[in-house]
Amino acid sequence: MARPHIAALIEDSVRRRVDGWLRRRGWFERVFGYTGYGSPDRARVFARVLLSPHEPEESRTALTHVEDSLLDIAQRGWRFFLTAPAVDVPVTVRLGEAQAWATTDRGGYVDIEVRGHGLPPGWQEALVEVGNGDTLTVSVLVVDPAVQVGLVSDIDDTVMVTHLPRMLIAGWNTFVRSEQVRQAVAGMGAMYRSLLAESPGMPILYLSTGAWNTAPAITRFLRRHDFPVGPMLLTDWGPTNTGWFRSGQKHKEEELRRLRHDFPGMRWILVGDDGQHDPVIYGEFAQEFPEAVEAICLRELTPAEQVLSSGLPVATDELLGKRVQVPMLKGANGFSLHQLLVRARARSVRGSGA
């Protein structure tokens, strides 16, 4: 086995020292969870174990009984990253008739697949527990096999205006600004609500290169701006065993493939923006699996946003994605994208002779 990257070794060394120091001062293992998803056969549950000065509790609900620092909606973003992950902690998940076990990774995370839970489609609850008795209930969306279309949405500059790709702006937005000042992209919430109304039970998943630390803030943002509730597929910032930083592009590619595996008969509406890698990622996925893509919808950034995003006032050819056999639609906001999508789907129905 290859030796871990020096960045990971440094991070692990620091975390071990912090872990020991906090435990000696009486900090406890606390479990935190995120919305999961699945089918009637199996489900995917996400959780994280952190060290906390608060004692374990026998019953909590994800995103409502979290640390006081996470409940302060006027706080600065940097507070989300002041966490102490608990590594190599056994975690038990109970969902319906099934149980599954896993151990937290270097960042305190677990991504557990629970098979044979026996629960019907709809919103269900999973119980996540650690050895000291701390227990958390998290929501899991069980998708009806009869549902044929789902939606995958980027977050940054797609539903939320962040200018995230530019590092200085990213740092300011993520670590300094209060989450309440962030703006929603016009019409995106209305578009998603309309699609969900047209196809009840349609899964809506939010796929982003953002850190799991920001999940509570993103959840509150989505609720505040009336976006449909849905699982988030985020990542863990920082060093890995192979480099200083995780690849956001690889994360999105892997999650799209995982969704295709988990829902083999689903056709996805892929929503992103034209500022960075979404056109390429979605385009390559559609080229490889055209049967799994209903349409690609790209929000066109303004010239000012393009400059902040990629350094150029317009989307470059490299960012426009490859030519694919599915509709690739571009609009300035959710209102125009929804109109284009309705027309594209109508043309598809007429073309099929239905």
Side-chain angles (χ1 to χ4, degrees):
M1 182 176 179
R3 178 180 174 84
H5 193 274
I6 187 173
L9 295 175
I10 293 173
E11 183 181 54
D12 290 345
S13 176
V14 171
R15 283 180 170 174
R16 282 195 298 269
R17 287 172 169 77
V18 172
D19 183 283
W21 185 81
L22 292 176
R23 288 181 185 274
R24 287 193 298 271
R25 280 153 181 77
W27 283 43
F28 305 89
E29 294 170 357
R30 299 288 301 280
V31 61
F32 298 87
Y34 314 97
T35 303
Y37 72 86
S39 66
D41 299 322
R42 57 189 176 187
R44 191 177 178 191
V45 178
F46 306 97
R48 191 184 191 193
V49 181
L50 301 174
L51 293 178
S52 165
H54 300 279
E55 294 186 8
E57 299 179 26
E58 293 184 356
S59 180
R60 293 181 294 126
T61 302
L63 298 182
T64 57
H65 294 79
V66 294
E67 300 288 359
D68 290 341
S69 62
L70 296 183
L71 285 173
D72 179 10
I73 63 173
Q75 70 178 320
R76 305 302 177 182
W78 60 269
R79 294 181 183 270
F80 294 123
F81 294 85
L82 293 182
T83 56
V87 182
D88 294 328
V89 175
V91 176
T92 302
V93 174
R94 297 179 177 87
L95 178 64
E97 301 173 354
Q99 291 189 65
W101 298 266
T103 302
T104 58
D105 64 12
R106 295 177 53 251
Y109 296 96
V110 288
D111 179 352
I112 307 177
E113 185 175 90
V114 184
R115 293 176 176 268
H117 55 76
L119 295 174
W123 285 102
Q124 307 293 347
E125 292 185 340
L127 192 68
V128 185
E129 185 176 8
V130 292
N132 64 6
D134 193 53
T135 302
L136 181 74
T137 300
V138 298
S139 297
V140 178
L141 176 62
V142 178
V143 180
D144 191 330
V147 175
Q148 299 180 342
V149 178
L151 187 147
V152 173
S153 173
D154 180 38
I155 295 175
D156 303 312
D157 288 324
T158 300
V159 303
M160 176 193 299
V161 180
T162 59
H163 313 307
L164 191 58
R166 184 176 176 181
M167 292 307 295
L168 291 179
I169 301 297
W172 179 262
N173 283 333
T174 301
F175 297 109
V176 181
R177 298 183 74 191
S178 167
E179 66 182 68
Q180 286 187 309
V181 304
R182 296 187 176 177
Q183 300 175 339
V185 174
M188 281 298 182
M191 172 183 171
Y192 295 0
R193 292 193 302 272
S194 295
L195 292 174
L196 186 59
E198 295 166 9
S199 304
M202 179 181 71
I204 297 178
L205 297 98
Y206 298 93
L207 173 59
S208 172
T209 58
W212 279 112
N213 303 63
T214 63
I218 295 173
T219 299
R220 288 191 294 268
F221 174 90
L222 295 174
R223 289 175 177 171
R224 191 160 58 246
H225 294 281
D226 204 19
F227 281 86
V229 176
M232 286 184 288
L233 302 173
L234 306 180
T235 187
D236 181 21
W237 283 4
T240 69
N241 286 326
T242 58
W244 286 97
F245 299 101
R246 287 165 173 77
S247 169
Q249 186 168 344
K250 183 179 179 181
H251 164 68
K252 285 191 171 184
E253 292 169 350
E254 290 177 347
E255 290 297 339
L256 286 174
R257 289 177 176 274
R258 175 67 184 266
L259 289 173
R260 179 179 178 273
H261 173 267
D262 291 341
F263 304 104
M266 188 78 70
R267 290 177 60 81
W268 296 96
I269 300 170
L270 306 177
V271 187
D273 64 83
D274 66 354
Q276 281 286 317
H277 301 298
D278 287 344
V280 175
I281 296 171
Y282 291 166
E284 290 180 349
F285 181 78
Q287 272 195 321
E288 188 172 358
F289 308 109
E291 76 286 351
V293 180
E294 176 92 358
I296 297 172
C297 299
L298 299 173
R299 181 221 167 194
E300 293 179 301
L301 301 187
T302 65
E305 289 172 331
Q306 284 288 358
V307 171
L308 291 173
S309 175
S310 60
L312 296 172
V314 294
T316 65
D317 290 340
E318 179 184 0
L319 302 180
L320 291 178
K322 298 181 179 180
R323 189 175 299 276
V324 294
Q325 300 302 312
V326 304
M328 182 174 282
L329 314 172
K330 298 187 71 175
N333 52 48
F335 299 119
S336 58
L337 282 174
H338 190 204
Q339 291 178 348
L340 293 171
L341 180 60
V342 169
R343 294 170 188 167
R345 298 174 90 177
R347 288 194 298 269
S348 176
V349 170
R350 290 197 298 270
S352 65

